[in-house]
Amino acid sequence: MYKDTNKRSIVKGISWRIFATTTTVIIVYIFFGRLDLAIAAGVLETVAKVGLYWAHERAWVKIRWGRKKIEPFNLWFTGLPLSGKTTIADSVFKELKKLDIPLERLDSKDIRDLVPGVGFTREDRNRHMHRIGHLIKTLQNNSVSTVASFVSPYRESRKAIREMVKNNVVVYVKTDIETCKARDYKGVYEKAISGELKNFSGINDVYEEPQHAEVIINTDEKSVEEATVEIVKYIKKKYVR
């Protein structure tokens, strides 16, 4: 989170006093008809009230009353490969950043690049999800929320994530497998069907649909923009009020 520095408070005080002092000078001149008296009153008022404003501002920084802490949340996007998870998650992340909250973006490809050699068996995937859970938990301990997109095909690994992190919001990007195949610009579905790729979710390995997703986005019915609006609205209502 952010807090005002002393310099920022001082500059805010000065900018406000420029407007306020001008008003004082005009009022004094109207009542007394003396420009020298009006300017003197304005200068004295400015010096006094800039100092008072600074003291008042710094005092309120120390007062906790009326403040509400934004609890960190984890938006967990899950779905078949090429279901649209990353695209929607990127769009949601971009919109949430506008709220000026501490936020990080985690995507399966980026994480696998950082942790090479991670396999795709059920055991490998579950172990990998535990690593991601610990990463998210560490970020949350520092008040950082996360937008994460992972196929995460198994219910036990998604359950582990839910148990490890706070305020977990599962977004199931529900897409027909034929639609995913049509988006197969990398040819991964063809490789999985031919047997070249093993443990490929939806083809030669299972994808277990979430049973308790907070948000379900059917990409055959909603655009990226519509999905983004729905998810951001949910987060604002639950965590950034």
Side-chain angles (χ1 to χ4, degrees):
M1 301 299 290
Y2 298 91
K3 68 175 184 179
D4 283 359
T5 63
N6 283 328
K7 289 182 179 179
R8 178 178 169 86
S9 296
I10 292 172
V11 170
K12 285 168 64 179
I14 291 173
S15 67
W16 166 246
R17 290 317 308 165
I18 289 174
F19 293 105
T21 299
T22 301
T23 303
T24 299
V25 170
I26 292 173
I27 291 173
V28 172
Y29 181 74
I30 289 174
F31 274 91
F32 296 98
R34 289 182 54 186
L35 184 59
D36 58 336
L37 184 62
I39 293 174
V43 170
L44 289 173
E45 183 200 40
T46 297
V47 173
K49 288 191 175 179
V50 164
L52 289 172
Y53 178 87
W54 175 86
H56 178 267
E57 185 84 352
R58 301 319 296 174
W60 272 100
V61 167
K62 298 177 183 291
I63 298 173
R64 293 182 177 272
W65 179 85
R67 280 181 171 178
K68 182 178 179 180
K69 182 180 179 181
I70 298 175
E71 290 294 329
F73 57 85
N74 174 51
L75 259 177
W76 187 269
F77 288 79
T78 178
L80 287 167
L82 296 174
S83 60
K85 298 182 302 299
T86 298
T87 301
I88 297 173
D90 285 344
S91 178
V92 169
F93 176 76
K94 183 178 179 180
E95 288 302 309
L96 289 177
K97 286 293 285 184
K98 296 177 181 178
L99 301 179
D100 200 25
I101 59 176
L103 191 67
E104 288 292 338
R105 177 77 174 89
L106 304 176
D107 184 69
S108 57
K109 182 182 180 303
D110 298 331
I111 299 298
R112 281 186 175 271
D113 288 342
L114 292 173
V115 189
V118 178
F120 289 89
T121 66
R122 194 174 190 115
E123 183 181 5
D124 288 334
R125 287 178 186 264
N126 286 339
R127 188 182 301 114
H128 187 53
M129 288 298 98
H130 274 79
R131 294 192 192 100
I132 304 305
H134 281 295
L135 173 58
I136 294 171
K137 186 176 179 180
T138 300
L139 289 169
Q140 289 189 335
N141 287 339
N142 290 278
S143 300
V144 179
S145 297
T146 44
V147 176
S149 50
F150 294 82
V151 174
S152 49
Y154 310 127
R155 291 189 182 123
E156 67 262 27
S157 61
R158 294 194 299 266
K159 181 181 178 182
I161 293 291
R162 189 181 289 277
E163 291 173 349
M164 292 174 70
V165 309
K166 297 183 292 186
N167 302 322
N168 191 62
V169 178
V170 173
V171 179
Y172 174 30
V173 182
K174 188 174 184 178
T175 308
D176 185 84
I177 194 165
E178 295 303 321
T179 302
C180 294
K181 290 178 182 178
R183 298 171 179 168
D184 189 13
Y185 62 96
K186 292 183 179 179
V188 289
Y189 273 92
E190 292 182 5
K191 291 179 180 179
I193 292 170
S194 68
E196 185 179 345
L197 285 180
K198 304 295 184 182
N199 306 114
F200 191 87
S201 302
I203 300 297
N204 46 35
D205 194 11
V206 297
Y207 176 81
E208 300 170 346
E209 291 191 345
Q211 296 176 311
H212 306 290
E214 281 73 17
V215 181
I216 298 176
I217 300 296
N218 190 327
T219 60
D220 292 325
E221 298 175 357
K222 291 184 179 178
S223 66
V224 172
E225 292 75 19
E226 291 170 330
T228 299
V229 169
E230 179 177 342
I231 297 165
V232 171
K233 183 179 180 181
Y234 180 92
I235 292 297
K236 284 182 176 179
K237 182 179 179 181
K238 294 282 289 185
Y239 302 111
V240 196
R241 288 176 290 182

